[in-house]
Amino acid sequence: LLAVLQKRYNTRLNRKDVYVNVVSGLSLGEKGFGRNRQASDLDLSVAVSLVSSLTDIPVRSDTAFVGEVGLLGELRQVSGIEKRVKEAQRLGFSRIITPANN
């Protein structure tokens, strides 16, 4: 993600120390999506968080992001989007940003 943000969006992250902390941990074996599921649908959330931190522009607290960021910077659709949107709404998010092709 750092390389994509640097190359495609000129974010200048190569001179920064980056630490990402996932609250309550991260489970890649989410029920209903198979044991070998990737965490790539978190790409957009992590990328937005990094840019927010770099630019000092906060992300609205009512907004959730779901999407995979490809190597060329494109947003890719993710599986099970309906379930993810419902869960985000259940958790109190009123804005859910997803790739356009989802």
Side-chain angles (χ1 to χ4, degrees), residues 4-15:
V4 171
L5 289 171
Q6 169 108 8
K7 182 173 181 157
R8 302 295 294 173
Y9 304 106
N10 199 28
T11 56
R12 308 264 188 244
L13 288 166
N14 61 332
R15 296 181 182 218

Side-chain angles (χ1 to χ4, degrees), residues 40-74:
S40 59
D41 51 334
L42 298 174
D43 286 357
L44 184 56
S45 297
V46 173
V48 169
S49 298
L50 289 169
V51 172
S52 172
S53 178
L54 183 67
T55 61
D56 248 352
I57 299 172
V59 176
R60 287 176 41 169
S61 62
D62 65 340
T63 306
F65 298 87
V66 180
E68 179 181 345
V69 178
L71 292 176
L72 299 175
E74 76 280 10

Side-chain angles (χ1 to χ4, degrees), residues 6 16 58 83:
Q6 169 108 8
K16 304 283 184 187
K83 180 180 178 181

Side-chain angles (χ1 to χ4, degrees), residues 88-101:
Q89 291 170 332
R90 188 188 71 75
L91 292 170
F93 293 99
S94 58
R95 291 177 23 150
I96 296 97
I97 308 300
T98 64
N101 56 354

